[in-house]
Amino acid sequence: MAGAVIQRLLSSLLVIAGASFLVFFILYLLPGDPVLMMLAGTTFTPEAAANLRHQLGLDQSALQQFLRFAGGLLQGDFGKSLVSDDPVLPKILSQFPATAALTLAGTLIAVVFGIWLGVLSAVHRGGIIDLAARLVSLLGISMPTFWSGILLILIFSVQLNWFPALGSDGWRTLVLPAAALGLVGSGFIVRMVRNSMLEVMNEPFITTLRAKGLPERLVMYRHALRSALIPALTIIGIQIGELLAGAVVIETVFSRQGIGRLLAGAITAKDLPVVQGVIFFTAMVYVAVNLLVDLSYTLIDPRVRRTQ
């Protein structure tokens, strides 16, 4: 068990190192000069631009800039904003609670709704409930996040006036953006849980449990569902990362606070340190979530513990 945990921690560190490399060089290769963006609208001389470029270290080679960037990350220094000159990490940490709340609420809706519909679909295979669940799953997979958000605003805010459409003040402003994320995220979970349940329902141990006279509800929801959750957990871990990325769009649609709006503003202003910091921070959260999902396998399935 301890060896498996150490192995996964080391592989997670490699992923984070690879993410830092990709984040830096993808943004480095983008066209445009950050210094000229900073000085736009002001009167400046080429010498002043060159001095500013030297102060920011942008006149160094790509390798030197990457080593400086990676060294700063190791010390918890994400750099300073080119626009406000404020440290990047505190800006991200101040916005992250709002994004975390939105992602967790969206994940909760996606997991509960997805598992519930997936189990119903498998138990009632071939019936009307199965057809309806698969249609909902297909709709969730096909629906762009921004489209679901706008649709929910039109129905529940503009027409019914049940929830506010914009802002991030109070739980009522969280309902519609979380529902928009959750509905999209539940599509894959419904499909995975349904397929896993159908496979597990044909396993010999399910036949044995039925032969012993256990109630069908107990067989399905205690034994079959527990085994079916192993592959579903993988999808749920991936979906959390997808929902975290989708929060960038949703926060813009609903004018909510969060690292999504911070990232959108930084992209518009070509504030590269903030863009790099937000993407790298998101990658670390994504890796941490998937590490926890991997470790949770051992708690759910005793066969995984015995294998390790």
Side-chain angles (χ1 to χ4, degrees):
M1 177 68 182
V5 172
I6 293 173
Q7 184 180 4
R8 287 189 172 89
L9 284 174
L10 290 176
S11 62
S12 298
L13 290 176
L14 286 177
V15 172
I16 291 175
S20 67
F21 181 84
L22 289 176
V23 166
F24 175 83
F25 279 99
I26 288 175
L27 294 178
Y28 177 82
L29 294 174
L30 288 178
D33 188 339
V35 172
L36 296 183
M37 292 288 294
M38 293 173 62
L39 297 176
T42 65
T43 302
F44 64 93
T45 63
E47 291 76 15
N51 287 334
L52 181 57
R53 191 172 289 107
H54 178 70
Q55 292 175 12
L56 297 174
L58 298 177
D59 57 347
Q60 297 176 343
S61 67
L63 180 60
Q64 288 175 312
Q65 291 187 48
F66 172 71
L67 292 177
R68 183 161 51 86
F69 171 71
L73 292 180
L74 290 175
Q75 301 174 40
D77 181 9
F78 283 41
K80 289 187 176 181
S81 166
L82 296 180
V83 176
S84 62
D85 201 35
D86 294 329
V88 171
L89 186 57
K91 290 170 73 75
I92 296 173
L93 293 179
S94 67
Q95 297 294 321
F96 183 65
T99 301
L102 174 60
T103 306
L104 288 176
T107 302
L108 183 64
I109 292 173
V111 170
V112 172
F113 194 61
I115 292 178
W116 176 61
L117 271 186
V119 172
L120 281 180
S121 178
V123 172
H124 300 279
R125 182 183 184 183
I128 295 178
I129 295 178
D130 182 25
L131 178 63
R134 283 190 288 166
L135 283 177
V136 171
S137 169
L138 181 62
L139 188 64
I141 294 172
S142 310
M143 190 186 306
T145 309
F146 74 90
W147 191 84
S148 66
I150 293 173
L151 187 66
L152 289 175
I153 288 176
L154 289 176
I155 296 175
F156 294 101
S157 183
V158 177
Q159 295 294 328
L160 300 176
N161 199 26
W162 287 358
F163 300 102
L166 306 176
S168 53
D169 185 18
W171 68 269
R172 294 182 76 246
T173 61
L174 183 63
V175 174
L176 292 185
L181 279 179
L183 289 176
V184 173
S186 65
F188 288 101
I189 298 176
V190 171
R191 183 165 294 186
M192 178 57 73
V193 170
R194 179 183 184 275
N195 292 339
S196 298
M197 282 290 292
L198 290 176
E199 290 181 8
V200 172
M201 286 163 65
N202 292 322
E203 293 286 337
F205 78 94
I206 295 294
T207 306
T208 303
L209 292 173
R210 284 172 172 158
K212 288 182 177 178
L214 259 68
E216 186 66 16
R217 182 180 293 273
L218 199 61
V219 173
M220 288 294 107
Y221 291 95
R222 174 177 290 183
H223 299 281
L225 178 58
R226 185 173 182 178
S227 297
L229 280 181
I230 296 294
L233 271 180
T234 304
I235 292 297
I236 291 171
I238 295 173
Q239 281 301 303
I240 293 176
E242 295 287 337
L243 295 181
L244 193 59
V248 174
V249 179
I250 286 297
E251 285 171 0
T252 303
V253 171
F254 287 89
S255 291
R256 289 182 55 82
Q257 296 297 318
I259 61 174
R261 285 191 68 190
L262 179 64
L263 177 62
I267 292 174
T268 303
K270 206 171 177 57
D271 196 347
L272 290 185
V274 176
V275 176
Q276 289 171 335
V278 171
I279 295 177
F280 182 73
F281 184 84
T282 306
M284 286 199 302
V285 173
Y286 183 79
V287 170
V289 168
N290 279 277
L291 176 64
L292 291 177
V293 169
D294 283 347
L295 296 179
S296 67
Y297 292 159
T298 59
L299 300 177
I300 295 177
D301 194 343
R303 294 172 297 180
V304 177
R305 284 199 297 271
R306 286 196 291 271
T307 302
Q308 292 174 346

